[in-house]
Amino acid sequence: MSSSVSITLARPADARDIAEMSRDCVETGLGWSWTPPRVLHAIRDRATNVVVARGGAGELLGFGIMPYGDQRAHLSLLAVRAASRGQGVGRELLGWLEKCAVTAGLEGISLEVRRDNPGAVEFYRRCGYELAGTVPGYYSGVLDALRLAKTLWTPTGQPAD
Ligand SMILES: CC(C)(COP(=O)(O)OP(=O)(O)OC[C@H]1O[C@@H](n2cnc3c(N)ncnc32)[C@H](O)[C@@H]1OP(=O)(O)O)[C@@H](O)C(=O)NCCC(=O)NCCS
């Protein structure tokens, strides 16, 4: 990843850009569920981290949204602007969110990804996620999801590799 890219928590003023990136990069063909008010709510939620990657001019390159539970975290959304993909930005955003989950002592992270998105499935596989099941009709009742998961701590309390 270029050294001019910075990873920080999102600000309320980022809500619209993030929501529009979700609409255009993730929710394509499904309707727009991550609207600006919903993203703003996540930014303000103390149990959720909304993280952004910015370029040297402060422009939004990508973002991730992760709510943290008592035992597990869930990756709700992750996207990188098309022109900035394949440069390590997605891995960096995910790593930032995972580090918070590890610090909080959580057992693992799960996520759902569209079955028709093999590129994202491969991205998550390379980031250490494994197939944990399928969820028929998860997206608006019309599109199946693959559930992926990563273990952060083993049942014996030893850190996962
Ligand atoms: C999936 C996504 C977030 C990946 O972000 P990215 O910045 O391009 O990913 P990185 O450059 O950090 O890649 C990390 C690794 O994944 C691999 N990878 C990334 N995209 C890939 C693809 N489409 N196909 C195969 N491998 C891919 C990279 O080769 C790299 O592997 P390596 O580190 O072993 O060499 C990005 O493509 C995206 O925003 N896609 C559209 C939205 C989406 O599908 N989001 C996920 C579902 S919510």
Side-chain angles (χ1 to χ4, degrees):
M1 194 182 74
S2 160
S3 59
S4 65
V5 177
S6 63
I7 309 282
T8 60
L9 281 172
R11 302 181 295 241
D14 295 319
R16 173 157 286 279
D17 281 353
I18 291 171
E20 289 179 352
M21 200 184 291
S22 176
R23 180 194 63 195
D24 298 341
C25 297
V26 182
E27 301 187 88
T28 324
L30 292 174
W32 194 13
S33 76
W34 283 91
T35 58
R38 187 177 179 193
V39 173
L40 184 60
H41 184 269
I43 290 171
R44 290 183 168 149
D45 178 13
R46 288 169 184 268
T48 300
N49 275 341
V50 181
V51 66
V52 292
R54 295 183 201 282
E59 74 280 18
L60 186 70
L61 303 181
F63 73 94
I65 300 180
M66 183 175 282
Y68 299 89
D70 289 339
Q71 295 183 329
R72 299 186 61 80
H74 182 260
L75 182 67
S76 298
L77 281 177
L78 181 75
V80 174
R81 207 175 278 290
S84 300
R85 291 180 195 159
Q87 299 165 34
V89 176
R91 188 188 277 280
E92 201 70 26
L93 284 164
L94 185 55
W96 193 101
L97 292 164
E98 288 177 349
K99 198 170 171 190
C100 296
V102 169
T103 302
L106 302 187
E107 293 172 4
I109 297 172
S110 55
L111 63 92
E112 286 80 29
V113 60
R114 295 167 61 139
R115 188 193 266 281
D116 65 354
N117 191 352
V121 173
E122 178 60 17
F123 163 79
Y124 288 122
R125 195 188 68 76
R126 287 179 185 239
C127 291
Y129 289 76
E130 295 178 344
L131 184 63
T134 58
V135 192
Y138 179 80
Y139 296 103
S140 309
V142 295
L143 191 62
D144 298 349
L146 300 179
R147 178 161 292 145
L148 306 180
K150 181 173 184 173
T151 301
L152 303 177
W153 283 86
T154 64
T156 58
Q158 297 302 309
D161 290 336

